[in-house]
Amino acid sequence: MSGFVEGQVDPAFRAVREVFEASFADGANAGAAVAVFVDGRPVVDLWGGLADTRAKRPWLRDTPVVTYSCTKGVTATAALLVAHERGVGLDDPVTDWWPGYGVGGKDSTTLADLLTHRAGLPVFERPVSTADAADQRAMAARLAEQHPVWKPGTEHGYHALTFGWLLGEFVRRHTGFTVGEYVRRNFGDQLWIGAPPEIAEQAARVGAPPAADQAWTDPAPISAATVAEMARAFRDPQSLALRASTNPLGSYNNPEVLAGGWPSTGLVTTARALARFYADLAAGDLLPADVLADAVRERVRGRDAVLTLESAFGLGYMLPSENMILPETARPTAFGHPGAGGAIGLGDTANRLAIAFTPNLRRDWLSGDRRAYNLIDAAYGAL
């Protein structure tokens, strides 16, 4: 039964379950999971619906699913931990550790620029295949030889796919590991950036509703003019927005894509594991408290050169903005990253809260849709 919800909820957080159940009743979800931790303790662990609507396969307790750009928060944490442990300065030139990177005026680029989407490399200039994308060295070499779209550090624009391979090269050059390998060794064995065959087989099948249902259904607080500008950009094959998000292009139901370990968008995990990651992060178990505090400090905010709407970033973590719309109660202290399919991973050190929502049905084409918003609102309301 597609509307059936299983799992446990602390009585104080029963409103989260009510919101979650309602999302199946009104057809907003096909299959999904949500998890909430407070003070490191699980208070919500729910799942339901269908992992595969075609095969009528139910969503089980440990069903993983690709979480798209939620991956970026995990990848950024890996880079921050490596920088801390290896004593690499955030404002040191990338060419200090990647000598060939300085082509075309990129020699002033810093690690902070990579983390804040200011590198000026939001697109791959040549087509990238699925096989190419599985090779961290090759992807890095492509980016090293490119000229930037803007002078690094002068503006920010969402590096939808390139973000992961840029930071992946930092991790690889300092540890010898891919981001996926480093994450599983240090952060959790259910965070797969590079899913083995048995995990890809268990993963929920992602899909989208009819095109008419994919429009942004509730634009507030984004202006209608901004929504229209974004819509035009995603219809224009020459726009940075479309080019940044469609090369490499591959189905996230393809085991080869899931195995490729795309470090911007390829994280396959459960809501429980993603929320646990943010709970551990907020508790200081993954990064020292001062490193995390600096990382969630706002570094950039304003019109995004790629997406055309407002975005805001700390060091790799997205902050509340038009590109991550959060309830008012969450805005002052929440950080994390949404994913294009509606997923989100969120941490909050002030409220000792961590939340993850992982659906398999893509709805609104802006990341962070109302399903996540409503669940986050209910969780904060229970504190």
Side-chain angles (χ1 to χ4, degrees):
M1 177 179 179
S2 62
F4 187 73
V5 170
E6 297 183 82
Q8 298 77 40
V9 176
D10 183 293
F13 287 80
R14 61 184 179 276
V16 177
R17 180 169 192 139
E18 291 169 359
V19 169
F20 191 57
E21 288 178 336
S23 71
F24 289 98
D26 65 15
N29 274 323
V34 60
V36 181
F37 286 72
V38 176
D39 277 330
R41 180 176 66 90
V43 295
V44 175
D45 185 9
L46 298 172
W47 60 92
L50 296 175
D52 186 337
T53 57
R54 299 188 309 180
K56 305 303 181 186
R57 174 164 59 95
W59 195 294
L60 304 177
R61 182 181 186 275
D62 293 317
T63 295
V65 65
V66 66
T67 58
Y68 299 95
S69 284
C70 293
T71 312
K72 292 183 177 69
V74 178
T75 294
T77 306
L80 289 166
L81 181 56
V82 171
H84 171 71
E85 291 183 337
R86 303 303 170 95
V88 179
L90 296 172
D91 295 322
D92 294 345
V94 168
T95 51
D96 282 0
W97 47 267
W98 188 354
Y101 184 79
V103 172
K106 301 197 303 296
D107 50 294
S108 64
T109 307
T110 66
L111 180 57
D113 290 332
L114 303 188
L115 284 159
T116 54
H117 298 261
R118 293 182 298 178
L121 291 178
V123 300
F124 286 102
E125 297 293 353
R126 293 183 289 115
V128 178
S129 70
T130 298
D132 294 334
D135 186 337
Q136 170 62 47
R137 289 174 181 262
M139 297 297 273
R142 286 172 178 256
L143 292 168
E145 69 185 19
Q146 288 187 194
H147 288 226
V149 176
W150 61 80
K151 183 179 179 181
T154 61
E155 59 182 309
H156 78 280
Y158 193 51
H159 289 48
L161 291 165
T162 58
F163 176 90
W165 283 295
L166 288 167
L167 291 177
E169 189 63 2
F170 173 73
V171 172
R172 187 190 70 80
R173 284 176 178 261
H174 287 85
T175 69
F177 297 122
T178 65
V179 167
E181 292 165 343
Y182 186 83
V183 163
R184 283 178 51 78
R185 285 169 175 265
N186 292 275
F187 299 158
D189 62 4
Q190 293 188 336
L191 299 169
W192 293 280
I193 303 177
E198 65 274 15
I199 298 303
E201 184 177 358
Q202 296 170 27
R205 183 176 181 83
V206 295
D213 293 339
Q214 293 181 46
W216 184 240
T217 54
D218 185 0
I222 306 174
S223 71
T226 298
V227 171
E229 184 179 7
M230 286 190 67
R232 286 193 297 271
F234 278 97
R235 289 194 297 267
D236 178 3
Q238 298 306 312
S239 72
L240 287 179
L242 193 64
R243 291 166 61 206
S245 57
T246 57
N247 183 29
L249 182 63
S251 168
Y252 288 87
N253 291 317
N254 181 350
E256 185 180 0
V257 171
L258 299 184
W262 296 12
S264 272
T265 57
L267 174 66
V268 177
T269 190
T270 64
R272 185 184 312 106
L274 185 56
R276 167 57 74 186
F277 165 81
Y278 276 100
D280 291 345
L281 184 59
D285 294 338
L286 304 184
L287 292 175
D290 61 332
V291 173
L292 179 61
D294 186 52
V296 301
R297 175 172 62 85
E298 184 177 302
R299 301 298 179 103
V300 295
R301 178 179 292 275
R303 185 182 185 276
D304 190 291
V306 174
L307 298 177
T308 74
L309 83 174
E310 178 204 54
S311 62
F313 296 94
L315 294 172
Y317 305 114
M318 194 176 286
L319 303 177
S321 63
E322 288 182 341
N323 199 44
M324 189 169 78
I325 301 172
L326 297 179
E328 185 175 350
T329 48
R331 291 172 199 162
T333 49
F335 66 93
H337 219 291
I344 196 166
L346 204 69
D348 185 332
T349 54
N351 288 290
R352 306 175 307 281
L353 182 71
I355 304 170
F357 169 62
T358 58
N360 66 347
L361 180 64
R362 295 184 63 162
R363 298 206 65 85
D364 294 322
W365 47 261
L366 288 177
S367 59
D369 64 30
R370 287 289 165 170
R371 294 170 298 172
Y373 181 100
N374 292 338
L375 290 165
I376 293 166
D377 193 32
Y380 272 85
L383 293 175

